[in-house]
């Protein structure tokens, strides 16, 4: 059921993230205006939305009837001003370019109703940088989804220095109501929380490979065949609660001095990019990829996330709520 405080939602940007955000909201009863200045992007979004809705119905996250009805709730168009004119919430999902986003937020502030919340799906820019372009800093925040947005339940709600409790709670209520797992980032920090943790792991993985300790293949095997599986069902604090902090401290005292603390990306990563070895899209990165192998990896990731999504997200999380 939709939250009657936010009946009309506009999503600006119909690309990889925007179309997934729009389809999930529409599947849960919201009227969504999906805008993109490129008509071809909207055309591609239409087929991607159909695929995403079918996947959600297949794994039981929505009913077949909801999947059928959702497209009728999505109005697509190239006029941003018209898209946000009656919106209660605007979610920006355009390219990760600060000047572009700031200019857009200036326009959104002028075009959207005064009560509307303006949220960015930025993965790196502080909400205060965007709020400064508006006259409503109390109603500006980051709503950071992870890709694919309709399969991964997390949305990081990142406060700016003037974001109101009311705006945060309205967004938390919206996302909880559609079965997502909102987490509030109480203070601005580069990378918020999710990307800081991801990049910390990547930094150590790159350092291990660069030092010749293990190959990329074996690093990936170690992650996917051990603690990566635990992290799919329990968070890092829960995992180490189970292990015991006395044991954890003993290991930390041995390992922390040896863990990489570089403040610059490693030479190996810079060299890969300089050579154009960008991963799947280039056919080569730390691995070499045929088109068939690249498609197989994408399929494996998608099917794996869908399998996890069939589970009850966050099962057991409230079992220790009384200790908070």
């Amino acid at each position: 059921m939709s939250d009657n405080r936010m009946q009309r939602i506009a999503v600006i940007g119909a690309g990889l993230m925007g179309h997934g955000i729009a389809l999930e909201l529409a599947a849960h009863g919201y009227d969504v205006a999906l805008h993109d200045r490129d008509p071809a992007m909207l055309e591609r979004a239409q087929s991607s939305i159909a695929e995403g809705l079918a996947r959600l119905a297949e794994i039981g996250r929505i009913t077949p009837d909801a999947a059928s009805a959702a497209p009728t709730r999505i109005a697509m168009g190239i006029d941003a001003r018209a898209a946000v004119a009656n919106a209660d919430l605007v979610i920006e999902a355009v390219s990760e370019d600060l000047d572009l986003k700031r200019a857009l937020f200036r326009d959104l502030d002028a075009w959207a109703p005064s009560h509307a919340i303006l949220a960015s799906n930025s993965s790196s820019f502080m909400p205060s940088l965007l709020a400064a372009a508006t006259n409503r800093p109390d109603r500006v925040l980051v709503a950071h989804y992870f890709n694919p947005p309709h399969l991964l339940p997390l949305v990081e709600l990142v406060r700016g220095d003037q974001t109101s409790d009311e705006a945060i709670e309205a967004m938390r209520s919206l996302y909880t109501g559609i079965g997502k797992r909102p987490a509030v980032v109480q203070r601005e920090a580069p990378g918020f929380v999710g990307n800081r943790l991801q990049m910390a792991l990547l930094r150590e993985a790159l350092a291990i490979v660069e030092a010749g300790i293990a190959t990329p293949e074996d690093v990936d095997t170690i992650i996917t065949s051990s603690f990566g599986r635990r992290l799919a069902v329990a968070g890092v604090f829960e995992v180490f609660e189970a292990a015991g902090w006395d044991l954890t401290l003993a290991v930390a005292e041995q390992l922390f001095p040896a863990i990489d603390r570089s403040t610059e990306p490693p030479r190996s990563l810079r060299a890969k990019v300089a050579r154009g070895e960008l991963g799947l899209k280039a056919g080569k990165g730390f691995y070499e990829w045929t088109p068939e192998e690249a498609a197989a990896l994408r399929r494996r990731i998608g099917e794996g996330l869908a399998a996890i999504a069939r589970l009850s997200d966050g099962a057991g999380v409230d079992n220790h709520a009384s200790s908070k």
Side-chain angles (χ1 to χ4, degrees):
M1 292 295 292
S2 60
D3 183 338
N4 59 20
R5 292 175 296 176
M6 290 188 190
Q7 288 297 324
R8 295 170 299 277
I9 300 175
V11 178
I12 308 299
L16 182 67
M17 301 301 289
H19 86 269
I21 293 169
L23 75 86
E24 185 177 32
L25 289 164
H28 287 89
Y30 289 92
D31 295 323
V32 181
L34 179 60
H35 163 271
D36 202 286
R37 58 189 179 184
D38 182 356
M41 186 68 77
L42 289 172
E43 188 173 342
R44 287 194 293 273
Q46 200 161 14
S47 60
S48 297
I49 285 169
E51 292 172 10
L53 289 166
R55 174 59 64 88
L56 288 178
E58 174 193 341
I59 63 177
R61 297 298 294 269
I62 60 174
T63 66
D65 286 346
S68 298
T72 67
R73 298 194 186 97
I74 301 175
M76 297 188 183
I78 60 172
D79 186 341
R81 186 168 192 159
V84 306
N86 296 306
D88 302 308
L89 166 65
V90 181
I91 301 174
E92 168 270 309
V94 303
S95 300
E96 199 72 352
D97 179 305
L98 182 58
D99 290 338
L100 173 65
K101 288 179 186 288
R102 284 174 59 87
L104 177 58
F105 267 70
R106 278 193 294 272
D107 289 339
L108 296 177
D109 186 48
W111 299 337
S114 59
H115 71 274
I117 293 173
L118 307 182
S120 174
N121 183 49
S122 174
S123 60
S124 58
F125 296 126
M126 304 299 167
S128 59
L129 296 175
L130 305 174
T134 76
N135 292 309
R136 62 179 87 191
D138 60 317
R139 292 187 293 287
V140 175
L141 52 90
V142 163
H144 178 220
Y145 285 75
F146 284 72
N147 184 47
H150 55 293
L151 289 180
L152 290 175
L154 175 68
V155 182
E156 289 182 304
L157 300 178
V158 186
R159 290 180 178 273
D161 53 10
Q162 297 184 63
T163 306
S164 68
D165 291 343
E166 180 182 11
I168 291 290
E169 289 308 313
M171 295 294 285
R172 193 205 302 263
S173 175
L174 165 72
Y175 286 127
T176 301
I178 65 172
K180 298 196 82 66
R181 299 281 303 179
V184 179
V185 180
Q186 298 288 357
R187 185 167 61 86
E188 291 184 337
F192 315 138
V193 174
N195 278 334
R196 288 173 77 98
L197 294 171
Q198 284 193 116
M199 295 306 288
L201 175 59
L202 176 62
R203 178 173 64 181
E204 186 60 27
L206 289 167
I208 286 168
V209 171
E210 197 166 80
I213 298 169
T215 65
E217 293 87 348
D218 284 333
V219 169
D220 282 348
T221 296
I222 289 164
I223 292 170
T224 58
S225 301
S226 62
F227 68 87
R229 297 192 181 194
R230 287 200 301 256
L231 292 177
V233 295
V236 64
F237 284 98
E238 291 177 319
V239 165
F240 285 103
E241 287 274 316
W245 291 107
D246 50 347
L247 173 61
T248 302
L249 175 59
V251 174
E253 286 176 334
Q254 294 297 313
L255 291 188
F256 275 25
I259 289 175
D260 187 68
R261 287 172 283 177
S262 303
T263 59
E264 293 289 331
R267 291 189 302 272
S268 60
L269 180 57
R270 291 194 184 280
K272 287 282 181 192
V273 173
R275 291 193 298 266
E277 297 173 3
L278 306 180
L280 297 192
K281 60 187 175 183
K284 186 175 183 179
F286 284 92
Y287 298 93
E288 293 191 5
W289 301 96
T290 65
E292 294 76 19
E293 289 168 338
L297 176 63
R298 291 190 178 99
R299 187 166 56 250
R300 173 157 58 90
I301 292 171
E303 290 174 354
L305 292 175
I308 293 171
R310 288 187 178 94
L311 304 175
S312 176
D313 292 313
V317 165
D318 292 332
N319 289 348
H320 53 80
S322 61
S323 66
K324 296 178 180 178

